[in-house]
Amino acid sequence: MNLSLNLSLSLGRVWAIATNVFRETVREQVLYLSLLYIAIVVSAMLLLPEFSYDSSAKMIVDVGIAAIEVVSLIVAVLVGTNLINKEIDKRTIFILIAKPMHRAEFVLGKHLGLTAVVGALVSIMTVIFVILMAIKQIPIPIPAILTANFFIFWQIMLLGAIAIFFGSFTGSLIASLLTLGAYLIGNFSRDLLLLGEISKNPSLQAVTRTFYMILPDLSRANLKNDAVYNILPSIMDMFNNGVYILSYALLTLAVTIFIFARRQF
């Protein structure tokens, strides 16, 4: 009975932190970022036909999906890296950790709240995208687009964990730069592995394999180009890629909790 009660209270504290993050971030960020997304897609709809009339429809769809990823990445970088540092700067961290709250609950609540914000933002931008494509009368494979956008959300969920990880022991600016670096390197980690295989150098191959094992392979979540042409991997491949991203996010959060639990305030 006590174990059940403690678990319930633990989940309640995680939920309370997540709810607070969601309310604050939605109020401050989502509206403006949705307007930014509309501006990007509308600009593409107006300008791209001037450069390439024949393929402008595909280019507009490409821009629309890519913009969802970029805008969501902005949230992960700017909000995620500041979630812990903001509490430290405002001195509210002392109140939070003084309560009967485990630091693991604090970290998990922050990530859950950030993930909910990203999920809401990706959903809103997806609806906007479909509406704008309908207005422009551009045919799109909606199931494939929805699948690609889900994997964008899943990728940003992982990057949110990485952002909180860097933010747990560095300043917000450095954490933002490191998170952007992780995003860029993660999208090319598979190419790095292939480069090592092409070199035929055993030492270089060992180095590139090690880096590939350590770095996230974000190309697993990149289905944007495939979705435009309504060509997606098999269900099993997508399932395996989704499990890989989730596992990497959970491992990152575990390391974050380990580091944050040892910080002195």
Side-chain angles (χ1 to χ4, degrees), residues 37-56:
Y37 177 74
I38 293 173
I40 292 172
V41 178
V42 171
S43 297
M45 292 168 63
L46 295 175
L47 296 176
L48 289 178
E50 300 294 329
F51 298 97
S52 177
Y53 181 78
D54 293 336
S55 59
S56 63

Side-chain angles (χ1 to χ4, degrees), residues 14 35 38 40 42 48 68 78 85 92-93 97 115 131 144 157 161 168 180 193 204 213 217 221 239 245 248 254 260:
V14 170
L35 294 175
I38 293 173
I40 292 172
V42 171
L48 289 178
I68 291 176
L78 297 183
N85 285 316
T92 52
I93 188 70
I97 63 176
T115 301
I131 292 173
M157 179 274 297
S168 67
L180 283 174
L193 178 65
L204 182 59
M213 292 296 293
D217 181 7
F239 176 79
I245 293 170
Y248 201 106
F260 186 64

Side-chain angles (χ1 to χ4, degrees), residues 32-174:
Y32 299 109
L33 290 173
S34 298
L35 294 175
L36 173 62
Y37 177 74
I38 293 173
I40 292 172
V41 178
V42 171
S43 297
M45 292 168 63
L46 295 175
L47 296 176
L48 289 178
E50 300 294 329
F51 298 97
S52 177
Y53 181 78
D54 293 336
S55 59
S56 63
K58 294 292 185 185
M59 294 171 65
I60 291 170
V61 175
D62 277 332
V63 170
I65 301 176
I68 291 176
E69 181 174 332
V70 171
V71 174
S72 301
L73 178 63
I74 292 173
V75 174
V77 171
L78 297 183
V79 177
T81 57
N82 199 41
L83 284 175
I84 293 178
N85 285 316
K86 181 173 66 174
E87 303 289 358
I88 297 174
D89 293 339
K90 292 181 177 180
R91 307 295 183 183
T92 52
I93 188 70
F94 300 107
I95 300 173
L96 291 170
I97 63 176
K99 294 181 178 181
M101 176 186 295
H102 296 293
R103 296 194 183 190
E105 297 168 354
F106 179 80
V107 172
L108 293 174
K110 292 290 187 181
H111 183 258
L112 180 60
L114 177 60
T115 301
V117 171
V118 172
L121 183 60
V122 170
S123 300
I124 291 170
M125 289 189 292
T126 299
V127 172
I128 292 171
F129 173 75
V130 172
I131 292 173
L132 290 176
M133 294 305 101
I135 293 173
K136 187 67 175 177
Q137 296 183 339
I138 296 176
I140 55 173
I142 291 181
I145 297 295
L146 294 178
T147 303
N149 288 352
F150 171 79
F151 272 90
I152 288 174
F153 157 72
W154 212 230
Q155 175 185 221
I156 302 302
M157 179 274 297
L158 168 56
L159 287 167
I162 293 173
I164 295 173
F165 164 70
F166 287 128
S168 67
F169 62 87
T170 63
S172 297
L173 177 59
I174 296 176

Side-chain angles (χ1 to χ4, degrees), residues 156-223:
I156 302 302
M157 179 274 297
L158 168 56
L159 287 167
I162 293 173
I164 295 173
F165 164 70
F166 287 128
S168 67
F169 62 87
T170 63
S172 297
L173 177 59
I174 296 176
S176 297
L177 294 175
L178 290 173
T179 304
L180 283 174
Y183 169 76
L184 295 174
I185 294 173
N187 276 287
F188 293 102
S189 61
R190 187 173 295 183
D191 295 330
L192 183 65
L193 178 65
L194 293 175
L195 183 63
E197 297 297 329
I198 292 173
S199 70
K200 305 298 182 182
N201 185 324
S203 298
L204 182 59
Q205 288 177 352
V207 171
T208 55
R209 286 171 185 167
T210 301
F211 274 114
Y212 181 74
M213 292 296 293
I214 297 173
L215 298 171
D217 181 7
L218 298 182
S219 64
R220 292 171 178 264
N222 186 3
L223 303 181

